[in-house]
Amino acid sequence: MSNPFYRRWMVPALFFFSPMTLAQTPAAPVVVAAAQQAEVVQVVQLTGTVTAQRDARLSVAVAGLVESLAVDAGDHVETGEAILQLDAELAEQQYRAAEAAHARARHAMEDAQRRLAEARRLAPQQSIAETAVRDLESEVAEDEAELSRLRAELAYRKGVLDRHTVRAPFSGVIGARSVELGEWVAPGAAVMSLVSTEDLRLDFQVPEDYLGRVAKGNKVQFNLGADKENAYPGTVIAAVPVTDPTARTFLVRVVPTGEISGLLPGMSANVTLRLGDGQKGTAVPRDAILRYPDGRVIVWEAVSENGALVARERLVQPGFDFDGLIEIRSGLDENARVVVEGNETLRNGQALDARASGAR
């Protein structure tokens, strides 16, 4: 204690931390805001993808040689529009042969029906044997059966001929084309992909921790791609309660509320999901929270002591972060006033020159 160096520095140090010094320190200019009771909402940020309600890989129904291609990737097509034609020469010949056979059978049946009608007129006059009438009836029945068979054959050949033309099953955009002129294609092999640009929705995977809290009808906000400025509203239309065992997530599907120009399948989307059960809690503005590397989380409360407004450090347990507020689960009274500006260098018991948040 007799060390001169120690005596030189001890007194100023004691003087610096003394209450008298704090009292003499000028009041710190700060902005304060009142803690408030708010409905606590958990905000979950997720990344999803814009998907089409209809996304098909088109294939041919019959084998054949590609004769013509009417579209390419990026082309828009309408429902029923021809997009690919196979060489149908042999199918056309088979159809014509079936058509001729059907016509011949129809004429044979009509002739048999005419002869049967004449025989029935003569039968009462005993001008024709009853056996001949029955033979004609049998012939008509056979001709009718043959005509029915050939009618089905004709319809089959017409169907095969029609299937040499691939038509768009719905309107949309050709996503990719995987064949060229002259290629031989077989049933089941994809020749094109067709994606609908109508009735688009957003699909995103939600951690299984939220299973049961996301339900049909929940409202969301989402941004498209790198556009962080424009937020669009949407509604949950499906929450599939089956989790992916590898990712521990489940599918949630959202539809935009209203029309959005430029919305295309495959675009990325950043979705903000708000989950709440209607319960209220104490919340303070986000700027009131100070976090330290050692894990402490504090707020500075402005309290009246001996007629003066001073700062008091409060160790708090924060909860959910939402709408510019942070839920305070413990450590702060619900009627407290907290410092939201000028709180970085405050000391316990320091006088405050406070201005209410929003005041000028």
Side-chain angles (χ1 to χ4, degrees):
M1 295 295 292
S2 59
N3 190 316
F5 178 82
Y6 180 80
R7 288 199 305 271
R8 185 193 309 172
W9 289 102
M10 179 179 67
V11 175
L14 292 175
F15 177 77
F16 181 81
F17 290 103
S18 67
M20 184 179 298
T21 303
L22 288 174
Q24 293 174 352
T25 302
V30 296
V31 175
V32 299
Q36 57 184 282
Q37 289 293 299
E39 182 178 341
V40 177
V41 176
Q42 184 176 8
V43 179
V44 182
Q45 301 288 343
L46 299 164
T47 299
T49 304
V50 179
T51 62
Q53 185 173 358
R54 295 176 175 178
D55 186 348
R57 290 165 56 85
L58 306 182
S59 62
V60 294
V62 296
L65 201 67
V66 178
E67 183 178 73
S68 66
L69 290 164
V71 295
D72 203 348
D75 291 343
H76 189 277
V77 296
E78 297 295 334
T79 303
E81 182 179 340
I83 57 179
L84 181 147
Q85 178 66 50
L86 299 178
D87 179 10
E89 181 180 0
L90 297 180
E92 288 176 357
Q93 298 300 331
Q94 291 174 331
Y95 173 71
R96 291 196 184 103
E99 195 174 33
H102 177 268
R104 184 171 58 251
R106 187 180 69 251
H107 292 317
M109 187 194 69
E110 290 173 351
D111 180 64
Q113 288 175 335
R114 178 185 57 78
R115 288 185 284 114
L116 175 60
E118 290 178 353
R120 284 174 173 171
R121 283 196 301 271
L122 295 174
Q125 304 171 13
Q126 297 183 347
S127 300
I128 188 171
E130 186 66 27
T131 302
V133 175
R134 288 197 296 270
D135 288 343
L136 286 171
E137 290 175 345
S138 178
E139 181 181 348
V140 168
E142 290 178 357
D143 287 348
E144 288 177 343
E146 178 65 8
L147 181 63
S148 178
R149 184 187 71 81
L150 291 174
R151 185 180 298 116
E153 176 70 14
L154 180 63
Y156 172 78
R157 293 300 172 187
K158 179 65 166 61
V160 171
L161 180 60
D162 289 343
R163 282 163 175 76
H164 281 68
T165 302
V166 178
R167 300 183 181 277
F170 52 86
S171 62
V173 174
I174 301 297
R177 195 189 76 193
S178 54
V179 295
E180 291 293 342
L181 291 176
E183 284 191 37
W184 181 268
V185 292
V191 295
M192 295 184 189
S193 65
L194 179 62
V195 182
S196 173
T197 55
E198 301 175 354
D199 301 323
L200 300 180
R201 64 271 181 100
L202 288 79
D203 287 351
F204 55 98
Q205 297 294 324
V206 178
E208 63 180 9
D209 295 344
Y210 303 111
L211 186 62
R213 299 185 61 193
V214 182
K216 184 177 180 180
N218 286 159
K219 303 300 181 182
V220 303
Q221 295 284 330
F222 65 92
N223 305 86
L224 295 175
D227 181 10
K228 306 299 183 183
E229 301 297 327
N230 297 310
Y232 305 98
T235 304
V236 174
I237 61 169
V240 183
V242 178
T243 62
D244 180 349
T246 58
R248 303 300 180 188
T249 59
F250 65 98
L251 173 67
V252 172
R253 179 161 288 161
V254 170
V255 293
T257 303
E259 295 293 330
I260 301 176
S261 61
L263 188 64
L264 296 173
M267 294 180 69
S268 64
N270 300 303
V271 181
T272 302
L273 189 63
R274 297 171 60 88
L275 304 176
D277 53 10
Q279 293 186 356
K280 290 191 174 183
T282 301
V284 299
R286 188 179 293 124
D287 291 338
I289 295 290
L290 295 177
R291 301 177 187 270
Y292 291 97
D294 61 3
R296 289 184 303 127
V297 180
I298 72 161
V299 298
W300 287 102
E301 182 182 1
V303 298
S304 296
E305 294 182 0
N306 301 322
L309 194 64
V310 298
R312 289 300 176 192
E313 181 183 287
R314 305 300 186 205
L315 186 66
V316 297
Q317 179 187 3
F320 294 130
D321 185 337
F322 61 97
D323 301 336
L325 301 173
I326 292 184
E327 176 194 11
I328 301 298
R329 294 178 177 173
S330 65
L332 189 70
D333 292 337
E334 62 180 31
N335 297 320
R337 290 185 299 166
V338 294
V339 180
V340 295
E341 291 184 26
N343 52 352
E344 295 84 359
T345 59
L346 291 178
R347 297 187 302 277
N348 228 349
Q350 184 174 359
L352 301 177
D353 179 10
R355 174 170 58 87
S357 177
R360 297 198 178 268

